[in-house]
Amino acid sequence: MPIGEFGGAPDLPAEDSPALTTPMYWMYEMGQASLNPARAVFDATKLMFSNPFNPWAHTQVGKSIAAACEVFERTTRRYGKPEWGLDDTEVNGMRVPVEIKTVWEKPFCRLLHFERKLVKPLRTPQPRVLLVAPMSGHYATLLRGTVEALLPGHDVYITDWADARMVPLSAGRFDLEDYVDYIVEMLHDLGGDVHMMAVCQPSVPVLIAAAVMEANNDPFVPVSMTLMGGPIDTRSSPTAVNKLAEERGMDWFRGHVITKVPLPHPGFMRDVYPGFLQLNGFISMNLDRHVDAHKNLFANLVKGDGDLVDKHVQFYDEYLAVMDLTAEFYLQTVDQVFVRHLLPKGEMRHRGKLVQPSKIERIALMTVEGENDDISGLGQTEAAHRLCSAIPMDRRVHYVQKGVGHYGVFNGSRFRSEILPRISDFMVSSAHGRAQRAPQADSATRAGAAE
């Protein structure tokens, strides 16, 4: 039962039952441990029936046994954080290596820089982009395709959110307000002249961070912000998953999807919304499709169709790798964004102060939506324009990509060929527009001082 980008819980009794969640994670860990011997047996069997020196490996029976063993192992394993696999890119027609460096770090997030090892400096500087990845169950590597598409024409940084079960309880809590503070700190560390891109869930904290920085007259406000498929106002074209949040209510979420991290994880006893529950929600939305995909995997393994097997493996290695979220961040986001709609109502507060997007003036705004998005409905992201009323019309863009769903907004062929070029043009024009407005702003400041 996903809420926006968040995964959800299985169908549990409707009444509040905190006792249901208390041992939930512990039971999951015991289940994983109990499967280890079976996985070892199936893995050994697969190796035996895949060995070319085994006559059975060349028969239909042998291939079927090996395929069945691999499907069992893949459907019962715990998937770790995937690798980025972005070792090089093409800049101005030349292939250059890429080195991923951590340039800023706090307990719940690292800021990664995809540093391109250019042979010589570029004649025209390319936009520096802070890509804010969703903290909604999957790792930042879910945006691998987005980063790969950006690299040839942009200097890319990305938020690499931590798995909450790996953060010791001594590191403290992490909620929506902390998320906003992290974004502000990253922008300060980058030193200005940065364009922000937020994919889905972070559209809300990114907009809040922009409003907070404008209210403080912060010199490091981003040049532009691009919000993509985000739940700024889920009252606009509410999807089925949006409606579930209001129907269930906060007590249900608190009682049924929050549990404590068990040993031996570093985050022992931290309250979290566990990744395995989120994965349950992701899969239950399209269970038939996932079952068919694994049937096809079995058939392709038997046939020896390596290309189709590789496509399946690449997708599911990413899709099945999930991370825990801190309970306070998850519950606060569901309550304030999906149930009470505080930001579009003008009631959102950050550190006790009212958040006022209407005060944003210096930051150009672009919103992107997918025509067939069933997670963030049409109009939910566009609502940012209504809230940011002080941004001049010539510094705003709204774009709806026809024929794509939620993931097509930030990944795939349509993103690369139709969406990204528009975003790149928007960033360049935003930087040019701010440069032109700066002398005017300085003149106005001097005139005010003279008066």
Side-chain angles (χ1 to χ4, degrees):
M1 189 183 63
I3 302 298
E5 275 276 300
F6 295 113
D11 291 330
L12 298 173
E15 64 273 5
D16 297 336
S17 307
L20 284 173
T21 60
T22 302
M24 187 190 306
Y25 213 145
W26 305 75
M27 293 172 66
Y28 171 77
E29 291 293 333
M30 289 174 61
Q32 284 289 310
S34 67
L35 282 170
N36 284 338
R39 276 195 288 264
V41 170
F42 275 79
D43 196 39
T45 305
K46 172 197 161 186
L47 291 174
M48 182 174 67
F49 283 95
S50 301
N51 191 323
F53 295 103
N54 181 355
W56 284 93
H58 306 285
T59 66
Q60 190 72 10
V61 172
K63 292 176 181 178
S64 297
I65 292 174
C69 290
E70 180 161 349
V71 171
F72 174 83
E73 192 278 330
R74 289 193 60 81
T75 54
T76 58
R77 77 163 71 155
R78 168 180 275 165
Y79 288 78
K81 183 178 180 180
E83 296 294 329
W84 282 99
L86 298 175
D87 300 322
D88 54 56
T89 189
E90 186 177 297
V91 180
N92 291 342
M94 181 178 296
R95 208 75 196 169
V96 298
V98 174
E99 183 179 353
I100 303 175
K101 293 183 175 180
T102 299
V103 296
W104 178 94
E105 186 171 9
K106 294 194 80 169
F108 291 92
C109 187
R110 296 184 304 160
L111 181 61
L112 303 181
H113 180 209
F114 292 83
E115 184 178 338
R116 302 168 300 173
K117 300 296 183 178
L118 302 173
V119 177
K120 57 182 179 179
L122 298 169
R123 291 182 179 179
T124 304
Q126 295 178 335
R128 289 203 302 160
V129 178
L130 171 56
L131 180 58
V132 185
M135 194 173 83
S136 54
H138 285 108
Y139 292 96
T141 51
L142 186 69
L143 302 187
R144 183 185 294 102
T146 316
V147 174
E148 185 177 22
L150 282 166
L151 278 174
H154 308 79
D155 187 14
V156 183
Y157 298 77
I158 192 170
T159 56
D160 186 26
W161 301 106
D163 185 342
R165 73 169 177 262
M166 303 305 293
V167 183
L169 201 58
S170 59
R173 69 199 306 273
F174 183 84
D175 61 16
L176 184 58
E177 292 187 315
D178 296 313
Y179 193 123
V180 172
D181 290 341
Y182 271 34
I183 293 172
V184 174
E185 288 185 34
M186 290 177 203
L187 289 169
H188 283 188
D189 191 75
L190 291 174
D193 192 25
V194 176
H195 302 264
M196 274 200 299
M197 282 180 65
V199 177
C200 193
Q201 168 265 323
S203 294
V204 173
V206 160
L207 183 54
I208 294 173
V212 169
M213 294 179 79
E214 282 279 33
N216 294 331
N217 199 27
D218 196 314
F220 298 112
V221 292
V223 178
S224 72
M225 58 178 169
T226 302
L227 312 179
M228 309 175 70
I232 300 298
D233 188 353
T234 58
R235 298 173 301 175
S236 301
S237 305
T239 62
V241 293
N242 297 152
K243 294 174 183 176
L244 280 173
E246 295 184 350
E247 292 173 1
R248 290 291 189 181
M250 290 309 302
D251 288 339
W252 188 94
F253 287 100
R254 195 173 290 108
H256 289 84
V257 304
I258 303 302
T259 185
K260 292 186 182 295
V261 176
L263 288 169
H265 302 296
F268 173 59
M269 294 304 290
R270 179 180 293 281
D271 286 328
V272 297
Y273 177 28
F276 68 87
L277 271 185
Q278 299 169 64
L279 185 58
N280 181 291
F282 295 146
I283 291 176
S284 63
M285 283 186 68
N286 298 286
L287 182 59
D288 291 344
R289 188 171 67 187
H290 294 298
V291 170
D292 289 341
H294 283 79
K295 287 180 179 177
N296 292 334
L297 172 63
F298 174 82
N300 291 326
L301 285 167
V302 174
K303 288 189 299 183
D305 192 332
D307 290 340
L308 291 177
V309 169
D310 287 345
K311 287 181 180 179
H312 176 99
V313 168
Q314 289 170 9
F315 174 79
Y316 278 98
D317 279 358
E318 189 74 57
Y319 188 79
L320 299 176
V322 289
M323 53 185 274
D324 295 355
L325 307 178
T326 62
E328 56 271 17
F329 168 75
Y330 174 73
L331 293 174
Q332 192 177 45
T333 301
V334 171
D335 177 42
Q336 297 186 7
V337 177
F338 296 97
V339 176
R340 291 195 287 155
H341 314 289
L342 295 188
L343 185 61
K345 287 181 177 179
E347 300 171 4
M348 179 70 77
R349 290 185 175 274
H350 177 74
R351 304 299 180 197
K353 296 182 179 179
L354 190 66
V355 175
Q356 297 179 286
S358 60
K359 301 297 184 182
I360 299 174
E361 295 184 66
R362 293 175 288 168
I363 307 169
L365 172 63
M366 180 175 186
T367 54
V368 182
E369 296 182 330
E371 180 185 30
N372 303 324
D373 194 333
D374 60 350
I375 292 180
S376 296
L378 282 175
Q380 292 187 12
T381 314
E382 186 184 13
H385 291 277
R386 184 177 70 252
L387 301 179
C388 301
S389 54
I391 299 176
M393 292 302 296
D394 62 350
R395 304 196 73 222
R396 303 191 207 186
V397 175
H398 176 64
Y399 178 69
V400 177
Q401 178 60 55
K402 296 188 178 298
V404 302
H406 186 71
Y407 292 98
V409 170
F410 59 87
N411 209 343
S413 59
R414 294 283 185 88
F415 170 74
R416 292 190 298 271
S417 64
E418 300 184 47
I419 298 176
L420 181 57
R422 287 177 166 86
I423 293 175
S424 297
D425 289 346
F426 166 72
M427 289 178 179
V428 172
S429 63
S430 299
H432 182 65
R434 175 178 282 193
Q436 286 185 322
R437 292 171 64 85
Q440 299 173 9
D442 291 342
S443 299
T445 300
R446 288 192 296 269
E451 291 176 4

